[in-house]
């Protein structure tokens, strides 16, 4: 029997959608590959994160991984990563998000491992950063894009962005684990709406994720203010929660994944008013749960949602408002069924893992 090839994932952003993505990818590949994950902790990293991964997957904490630029810690993190790569001797290194992508690609030449990089949303798209910082990020991506590393975007729009900085790129769309979703929805503890001060029998739109600049809480708040008869729920938390001031918004705080899924089943529609995305797992989960989906017209969202085909794409506040009114009237049944079908046929973890196995195995044969 051939010995399993070793895959080492490097990820600073160990939380939110990236965490869910990594769990499905690592678990789905562990039957054919020896999988290790070197990661940084975040506030949104589940306390019991080890329980999410299959037995045999090795988890290695990188003490100096930080989200923002920090020269001293970044150098220390790079040194840590060099030591980890030297010790683990992986055949394949897979980098996730911009920080790990930058530090990891600097490791090219330190071993014989094939290298892959998934941005999960380019830092150069972060409009809250200064123009100088955005240019720095873009320049870094162009320089590092010349390294011997294949960029594997998590959706077609991100792939199109990647082509600006490197021609050595492809894409594999994100996917959700349908079997696990079904199990979570069946076995999750019953959530009482009263525990979160959520009203019953009120049309409710919800979202899931960090309350930060990317997720555009100001726009979410504007939409809620224009629809005072509806209820809006934000499952998550973040440093911009003070922007959610409308009386009809409820913030639940961070919940375990199965708790968030159980709570989501009680709501009418999903809304994602992001400024930018990779390819959001929360959107894919909502589509599978047969929620009408209303999203902003940005990279990532439009890889999945096609306007008036399987959901609603909106450019401004009033379009979100009109879409939600349309859904409340019961005019979205065909869109919901199409979105559900798209998950079954394309955006699921089995498709994701099978395509990655092809990419990994192809790299091993070269």
């Amino acid at each position: 029997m051939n010995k399993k090839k070793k895959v080492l994932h490097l990820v600073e952003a160990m939380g939110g959608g990236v965490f869910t993505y990594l769990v499905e990818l690592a678990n789905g590949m562990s039957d054919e590959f020896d999988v290790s994950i070197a990661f940084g902790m975040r506030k949104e990293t589940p306390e019991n994160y080890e329980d999410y991964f299959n037995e045999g997957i090795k988890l290695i904490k990188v003490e100096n991984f930080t989200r923002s630029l920090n020269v001293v810690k970044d150098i220390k993190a790079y040194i840590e990563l060099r030591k980890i790569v030297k010790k683990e001797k992986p055949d394949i290194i897979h980098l996730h998000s911009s920080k790990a992508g930058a530090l990891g690609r600097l490791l090219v030449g330190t071993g014989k491992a094939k290298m892959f990089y998934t941005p999960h949303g380019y830092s150069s798209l972060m409009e809250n950063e200064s123009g100088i910082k955005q240019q720095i990020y873009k320049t870094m991506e162009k320089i590092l894009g010349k390294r011997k590393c294949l960029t594997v975007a998590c959706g077609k729009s991100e792939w199109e962005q990647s082509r600006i900085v490197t021609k050595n790129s492809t894409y594999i769309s994100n996917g959700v684990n349908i079997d696990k979703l079904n199990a979570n929805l069946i076995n999750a503890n019953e959530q009482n709406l009263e525990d979160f001060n959520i009203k019953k029998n009120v049309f409710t739109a919800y979202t899931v994720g960090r309350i930060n600049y990317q997720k555009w809480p100001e726009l979410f708040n504007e939409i809620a203010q224009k629809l005072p008869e509806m209820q809006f729920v934000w499952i998550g938390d973040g440093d911009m929660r003070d922007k959610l001031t409308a009386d009809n918004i409820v913030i639940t705080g961070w919940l375990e994944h199965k708790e968030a899924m159980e709570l989501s089943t009680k709501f009418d529609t999903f809304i994602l008013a992001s400024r930018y995305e990779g390819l959001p797992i929360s959107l894919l989960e909502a589509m599978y749960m047969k929620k009408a989906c209303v999203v902003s017209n940005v990279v990532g969202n439009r890889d999945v949602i096609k306007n008036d085909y399987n959901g609603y794409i909106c450019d401004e506040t009033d379009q979100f408002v009109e879409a939600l009114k349309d859904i409340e009237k019961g005019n979205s049944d065909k869109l919901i069924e199409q979105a559900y079908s798209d998950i079954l046929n394309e955006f699921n973890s089995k498709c994701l893992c099978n395509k990655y196995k092809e990419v990994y195995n192809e790299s091993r044969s070269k």
Side-chain angles (χ1 to χ4, degrees):
M1 184 178 294
N2 293 331
K3 184 180 179 181
K4 287 183 178 181
K5 295 292 184 179
K6 296 187 69 172
V7 178
L8 173 63
H9 294 277
L10 305 184
V11 53
E12 178 275 319
M14 187 74 155
V18 176
F19 176 77
T20 303
Y21 170 97
L22 190 60
V23 168
E24 301 309 331
L25 180 58
N27 288 345
M29 306 289 276
S30 62
D31 59 336
E32 292 187 21
F33 296 86
D34 182 356
V35 180
S36 298
I37 301 170
F39 67 97
M41 291 289 290
R42 283 194 172 187
K43 291 181 180 179
E44 59 268 28
T45 303
E47 291 184 5
N48 61 332
Y49 62 87
E50 300 101 328
D51 297 338
Y52 286 77
F53 294 95
N54 288 348
E55 185 178 354
I57 293 177
K58 186 176 181 179
L59 301 174
I60 308 165
K61 189 181 296 185
V62 180
E63 299 294 340
N64 289 286
F65 257 149
T66 59
R67 176 181 293 180
S68 58
L69 289 173
N70 184 315
V71 176
V72 174
K73 282 190 171 292
D74 289 345
I75 291 173
K76 288 182 178 180
Y78 174 76
I79 294 171
E80 281 189 83
L81 294 178
R82 282 184 64 94
K83 290 179 179 178
I84 291 169
V85 170
K86 185 176 181 180
K87 180 179 179 180
E88 297 298 318
K89 296 181 175 61
D91 301 287
I92 294 167
I93 299 175
H94 193 156
L95 316 170
H96 300 272
S97 296
S98 297
K99 177 60 70 72
L103 295 178
R105 280 178 289 179
L106 292 174
L107 292 169
V108 172
T110 62
K112 297 180 180 180
K114 298 289 185 179
M115 190 168 286
F116 301 88
Y117 165 48
T118 301
H120 298 284
Y122 278 102
S123 293
S124 56
L125 297 178
M126 296 192 297
E127 297 171 1
N128 59 320
E129 299 286 9
S130 67
I132 294 175
K133 272 194 175 182
Q134 287 187 47
Q135 190 57 48
I136 290 173
Y137 289 136
K138 191 171 183 178
T139 301
M140 287 175 60
E141 288 288 353
K142 283 187 175 181
I143 294 172
L144 294 171
K146 298 181 184 300
R147 308 288 279 178
K148 195 174 181 180
C149 174
L150 176 66
T151 296
V152 186
C154 60
K156 187 176 181 181
S157 292
E158 185 171 82
W159 172 70
E160 291 170 348
Q161 291 290 323
S162 75
R163 297 285 289 173
I164 297 173
V165 295
T166 179
K167 302 303 179 186
N168 189 24
S169 65
T170 185
Y171 74 92
I172 297 174
S173 294
N174 275 1
V176 292
N177 188 321
I178 292 172
D179 294 336
K180 184 184 291 186
L181 269 177
N182 288 336
N184 283 344
L185 293 173
I186 292 171
N187 298 323
N189 296 324
E190 183 70 19
Q191 291 288 335
N192 190 339
L193 295 179
E194 294 177 357
D195 293 341
F196 301 98
N197 295 317
I198 297 172
K199 298 176 182 177
K200 297 180 179 179
N201 303 318
V202 177
F203 184 89
T204 302
Y206 78 100
T207 195
V208 181
R210 292 188 302 275
I211 309 176
N212 63 2
Y213 179 85
Q214 176 192 351
K215 301 299 183 181
W216 210 346
E218 300 95 332
L219 177 55
F220 188 90
N221 195 70
E222 287 178 16
I223 297 165
Q225 288 175 328
K226 290 201 171 189
L227 294 167
E229 71 281 6
M230 295 183 185
Q231 184 172 226
F232 292 78
V233 175
W234 194 305
I235 300 175
D237 211 334
D239 56 8
M240 292 184 68
R241 64 179 293 152
D242 61 311
K243 302 298 182 182
L244 300 174
T245 60
D247 293 335
N248 54 337
I249 294 178
V250 175
I251 304 171
T252 68
W254 290 112
L255 301 177
E256 289 292 327
H257 185 257
K258 66 179 182 180
E259 295 174 330
M261 292 300 97
E262 169 63 28
L263 191 60
S264 299
T265 62
K266 303 177 186 300
F267 305 139
D268 300 284
T269 186
F270 177 79
I271 180 172
L272 192 60
S274 308
R275 286 183 165 97
Y276 57 91
E277 283 289 350
L279 201 161
I281 296 292
S282 59
L283 172 58
L284 302 181
E285 291 175 336
M287 292 167 68
Y288 180 73
M289 293 167 64
K290 294 191 174 182
K291 305 296 180 182
C293 296
V294 187
V295 304
S296 53
N297 186 13
V298 298
V299 168
N301 290 345
R302 56 176 176 255
D303 285 342
V304 186
I305 297 298
K306 304 294 183 285
N307 196 43
D308 290 332
Y309 174 72
N310 62 354
Y312 301 80
I313 291 183
C314 305
D315 291 298
E316 57 187 15
T317 306
D318 288 342
Q319 290 181 359
F320 278 96
V321 170
E322 292 305 313
L324 291 172
K325 288 181 178 179
D326 195 53
I327 295 166
E328 186 181 27
K329 292 175 183 176
N331 296 331
S332 59
D333 289 351
K334 289 184 178 179
L335 279 63
I336 290 171
E337 289 302 322
Q338 183 59 53
Y340 177 74
S341 178
D342 290 342
I343 297 298
L344 295 182
N345 295 321
E346 183 177 0
F347 299 103
N348 61 78
S349 60
K350 288 184 179 178
C351 291
L352 170 78
C353 291
N354 286 336
K355 289 177 181 178
Y356 263 112
K357 286 177 181 178
E358 290 178 9
V359 170
Y360 284 176
N361 284 322
E362 182 181 355
S363 75
R364 283 155 49 185
S365 65
K366 292 182 178 179

